[in-house]
Amino acid sequence: MKPPEEDEGPGLPGLRTWRRVYLVVAAIFIVWVGLLIALTRMFS
């Protein structure tokens, strides 16, 4: 039997490793939360 390959990349252009994918997703999440906080304070 062949062990599962752990070196399989995500297959996304520009994001060759899963670590980069996770970092991009986390950064986008932080930006959205920041925008929600800023807009809430501006319009309340």
Side-chain angles (χ1 to χ4, degrees):
M1 265 192 228
K2 193 170 135 185
E5 293 197 21
E6 295 181 22
D7 294 337
E8 224 176 280
L12 298 170
L15 302 172
R16 299 185 190 271
T17 64
W18 282 109
R19 182 180 177 136
R20 287 186 184 177
V21 173
Y22 295 142
L23 289 174
V24 168
V25 169
I28 291 171
F29 177 75
I30 290 169
V31 168
W32 275 107
V33 170
L35 280 171
L36 287 172
I37 291 170
L39 291 172
T40 299
R41 289 183 181 178
M42 284 174 57
F43 293 107
S44 64

